Amino acid sequence: MERVSQSKPAGTLIHAPEITPDELQLAVRNHSMPLEALRYPITPLGLHYLLIHFDIPLVDAATYWLAVAGHVDKPLRLTLEDLKSRPATTLAVTLECAGNGRARLSPRPLSQPWLGEAVGTAEWTGTRLAPVLQEAGLKKGALEVVFTGLDRGVQGGIEQFYERSLSVADATHDDVLLVYAINGQALPPQHGFPVRLIVPGWYGMTHVKWLRSITVTDRPFDGYQQAAAYHYRTVEGDRGVPVTRMLPRALMVPPGEPDFMSRTRFVEPSTQIVEGRAWSGLAPIERVDFSSDGGRSWSAAGLEEALSPQSWRRWSARWDATRPGEYELCVRATDASGNVQPLEQSWNLEGVQNNAVQRVRVVVGAPDGRQIAADLR
Ligand SMILES: Nc1nc2c(c(=O)[nH]1)N[C@H]1C(S)=C(S)[C@@H](COP(=O)(O)O)O[C@H]1N2
Ligand SMILES: [Mo]
């Protein structure tokens, strides 16, 4: 049973502002990265965001093997030990879900309701994919490489393994890894144990977890997660544009202390150093601008070197928060190709690629506000 019932288009809209129980269920299964974790260049393991479409599969490493097959001369079966005995590479890579920012859209596409924190940077260790494919030997006419996970479920009315493809050119890029460790530890179940794909610069859906097979094809792959989902489209029935690399985004660690419910921040009148991280999968981050007046005026933030070309850069800005009042802090990234974050939400049917600037409400020196916050506790 590969295809069941009719295929529904990805991203069914809901108009009610209230979050639905289905969305809430997704939100509690899949967590984002608390913004204060932007302080770490490498996100501590449990703080990295998570996105799992179906169930986390249970895998026995002792009997596990990865199949490399399809349009190749010599199909391979690679055990975890085989993969670990190949030359190892460790890369710091920033991952972000393509749906990050979805829940800011109105009407809201019904899916994982990310606000803006579906990101993390980890040190991934594994072996390069290109030599594995070379060993298998791509036959003439090889067009795409399909990566299939062990996890199975139904989406859009179609029963499927989670699977995505890359062109041969993208799959054989030097940076693409088959990884078995994160931050120096074996992959935990939720991040793809025992082996996952890492494709630096691309949105999260590309980094297939729990790999069961790698299949070289001589025709375009038309699986659900490739052909139906992950397209930027604003009109139902439109083919749309496939989602590929991460658009630029900067995030800040909200300064001061938060109100429990609203997350409004409270800051003593003082000069603040506001900090965060910025990334883009299209080109290196070149510039980050900071605003304390809701985006009316901007000034350039300071930028630090990234740990690796595949990971985010730290930025910081001085904010003169000496005058009591209410402020809206914003931050905006620009990459070397001139891609810049929009000020407005980028509405589309699936709620992908919404990289509108972050806005953080801060109250400077307001005892009233603080009293209200205290009363709420
Ligand atoms: N097999 C499989 N791989 C998957 C997914 C999945 O559901 N199944 N989710 C994808 C999506 S949409 C994202 S954003 C990333 C999240 O990776 P993480 O949970 O390790 O942060 O994994 C991707 N790889
Ligand atoms: Mo995602």
Side-chain angles (χ1 to χ4, degrees):
M1 182 181 59
E2 204 52 47
R3 305 267 136 118
V4 292
S5 76
Q6 82 292 6
S7 151
K8 269 188 255 134
T12 308
L13 294 184
I14 68 150
H15 294 262
E18 294 81 19
I19 197 148
T20 66
D22 285 354
E23 287 173 290
L24 184 57
Q25 183 157 260
L26 284 170
V28 294
R29 284 183 57 81
N30 300 306
H31 66 77
S32 56
M33 184 193 73
L35 288 172
E36 59 273 31
L38 288 164
R39 294 191 182 109
Y40 309 100
I42 298 297
T43 312
L45 197 45
L47 297 180
H48 193 284
Y49 88 99
L50 273 184
L51 197 294
I52 297 146
H53 282 71
F54 307 128
D55 290 348
I56 298 171
L58 179 66
V59 186
D60 178 1
T63 56
Y64 170 84
W65 49 268
L66 169 64
V68 183
H71 211 61
V72 295
D73 297 325
K74 190 182 100 183
L76 307 173
R77 271 181 171 220
L78 301 167
T79 65
L80 187 53
E81 287 317 307
D82 292 339
L83 288 165
K84 286 183 177 171
S85 66
R86 301 179 74 94
T89 302
T90 298
L91 275 184
V93 180
T94 297
L95 247 66
E96 181 189 14
C97 182
N100 199 15
R102 173 181 292 127
R104 304 270 179 204
L105 300 176
S106 176
R108 192 171 64 250
L110 187 56
S111 185
Q112 171 73 26
W114 298 124
L115 289 169
E117 300 139 71
V119 66
T121 297
E123 270 178 330
W124 301 96
T125 301
T127 196
R128 295 187 195 278
L129 174 64
V132 172
L133 291 175
Q134 200 174 17
E135 198 178 310
L138 302 190
K139 279 191 175 153
K140 200 161 169 281
L143 186 71
E144 291 191 4
V145 185
V146 181
F147 301 90
T148 307
L150 289 156
D151 52 329
R152 209 171 154 76
V154 179
Q155 199 179 342
I158 297 171
E159 190 179 5
Q160 59 192 278
F161 286 106
Y162 183 90
E163 49 187 350
R164 291 268 315 170
S165 72
L166 286 171
S167 69
V168 165
D170 288 328
T172 52
H173 192 284
D174 205 38
D175 280 355
V176 178
L177 302 179
L178 296 173
V179 315
Y180 43 77
I182 177 172
N183 297 0
Q185 299 176 45
L187 283 183
Q190 66 273 26
H191 285 298
F193 178 85
V195 179
R196 84 177 297 175
L197 183 68
I198 288 290
V199 188
W202 287 60
Y203 276 117
M205 73 285 166
T206 319
H207 310 242
V208 178
K209 303 195 264 192
W210 313 293
L211 276 176
R212 81 196 296 258
S213 61
I214 297 175
T215 312
V216 178
T217 64
D218 59 358
R219 67 201 62 186
F221 173 62
D222 67 354
Y224 178 84
Q225 305 293 344
Q226 193 72 28
Y230 298 110
H231 280 68
Y232 186 99
R233 51 168 93 80
T234 53
V235 178
E236 206 88 55
D238 210 31
R239 287 200 69 175
V241 181
V243 175
T244 59
R245 291 176 167 274
M246 298 181 290
L247 303 189
R249 190 195 291 274
L251 289 176
M252 77 180 86
V253 178
E257 61 183 53
D259 170 52
F260 172 60
M261 285 302 294
S262 67
R263 306 299 298 177
T264 295
R265 316 296 302 188
F266 301 101
V267 167
E268 295 286 345
S270 57
T271 298
Q272 296 279 317
I273 302 294
V274 183
E275 64 167 325
R277 310 261 166 193
W279 65 94
S280 166
L282 297 168
I285 287 293
E286 196 171 67
R287 184 186 170 94
V288 169
D289 291 287
F290 175 77
S291 168
S292 58
D293 59 8
R296 280 183 293 281
S297 65
W298 296 90
S299 56
L303 272 172
E304 283 180 13
E305 286 306 309
L307 274 185
S308 75
Q310 299 84 5
S311 78
W312 54 21
R313 290 182 80 170
R314 182 178 181 272
W315 62 266
S316 62
R318 189 176 288 271
W319 173 36
D320 175 22
T322 48
R323 284 194 20 234
E326 260 189 55
Y327 296 84
E328 190 179 62
L329 308 187
C330 303
V331 61
R332 182 170 67 175
T334 306
D335 72 21
S337 296
N339 301 296
V340 57
Q341 288 185 254
L343 295 177
E344 301 304 327
Q345 311 297 335
S346 176
W347 192 89
N348 63 98
L349 282 156
E350 282 182 68
V352 288
Q353 296 187 166
N354 178 21
N355 66 332
V357 299
Q358 179 194 17
R359 294 172 186 276
V360 176
R361 193 168 160 259
V362 185
V363 177
V364 173
D368 291 0
R370 240 174 261 181
Q371 193 50 52
I372 292 164
D375 289 347
L376 282 170
R377 277 182 207 127

